[in-house]
């Protein structure tokens, strides 16, 4: 009986996670609850857009790395193709809601990236995968991502 080769330490995943963490802090730093106008508001909106896009690229790369090295169910990969961009749009929409004095909308940009990064980390680390089944964690993670994304977009359309 052959022993499986030991897996290497996930340096790439850790580097991507660190980059995502920096972009996450940058994105949260662009959230403003004031309704200032002019060039300053435009500049802040651009900074928010670029930080959000950069963060979502890092999250997508984390998911790809996790899917290649982990045990992502096939259906979860298909769902991620649609929900990752949708959650990015929902996050940017929620950041815009914050600039219109809707303070509770900050929940969406705080939680959605953590949810996706946590799922990607679960995919990559065998000890975490051993704790919870792939079907269960995938169902919970993507259901929450869908609910939060749709919630943010619906709230923005009603307010």
């Amino acid at each position: 009986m052959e022993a499986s080769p030991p897996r290497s330490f996930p340096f790439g995943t850790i580097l991507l996670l660190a980059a995502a963490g920096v972009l996450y802090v940058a994105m949260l730093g662009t959230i403003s609850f004031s309704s200032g106008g002019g060039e300053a508001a435009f500049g802040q909106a651009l900074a928010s857009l670029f930080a959000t896009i950069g963060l979502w690229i890092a999250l997508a790369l984390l998911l790809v790395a996790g899917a290649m090295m982990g045990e992502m169910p096939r259906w979860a990969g298909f769902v991620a193709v649609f929900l990752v961009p949708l959650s990015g749009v929902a996050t940017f929409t929620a950041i815009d809601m914050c600039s219109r004095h809707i303070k509770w909308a900050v929940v969406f940009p705080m939680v959605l990236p953590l949810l996706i990064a946590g799922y990607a980390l679960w995919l990559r680390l065998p000890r975490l995968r051993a704790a919870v089944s792939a079907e269960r964690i995938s169902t919970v993670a993507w259901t929450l991502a869908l609910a939060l994304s749709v919630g943010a977009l619906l709230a923005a359309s009603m307010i």
Side-chain angles (χ1 to χ4, degrees):
M1 193 166 166
E2 291 183 34
S4 62
R7 289 193 173 231
S8 63
F9 186 77
F11 287 109
T13 300
I14 299 302
L15 287 175
L16 274 172
L17 199 56
V22 168
L23 289 164
Y24 177 71
V25 170
M27 180 197 67
L28 291 178
T30 65
I31 296 175
S32 172
F33 297 104
S34 68
S35 60
E39 292 181 21
F42 184 72
Q44 188 165 4
L46 280 178
S48 180
L49 176 66
F50 290 134
T52 304
I53 289 172
L55 175 58
W56 253 256
I57 289 170
L59 291 173
L61 291 173
L62 272 169
L63 284 171
V64 167
M68 290 174 54
M69 303 301 282
E71 299 175 7
M72 179 187 275
R74 180 167 285 186
W75 66 265
F78 290 121
V79 168
V81 167
F82 296 103
L83 285 183
V84 169
L86 178 68
S87 64
V89 169
T91 296
F92 189 72
T93 302
I95 292 170
D96 179 61
M97 288 169 51
C98 290
S99 72
R100 292 183 280 135
H101 299 288
I102 304 168
K103 293 183 179 183
W104 57 264
V106 75
V107 169
F108 300 109
M110 289 179 73
V111 174
L112 276 167
L114 295 177
L115 176 67
I116 295 170
Y119 179 73
L121 194 60
W122 174 88
L123 284 170
R124 187 62 180 97
L125 300 176
R127 288 185 182 171
L128 293 177
R129 286 196 318 264
V132 183
S133 74
E135 290 295 323
R136 177 170 285 159
I137 196 76
S138 297
T139 301
V140 169
W142 294 120
T143 301
L144 285 172
L146 177 63
L148 288 167
S149 299
V150 169
L153 294 173
L154 283 175
S157 70
M158 288 190 247
I159 296 175

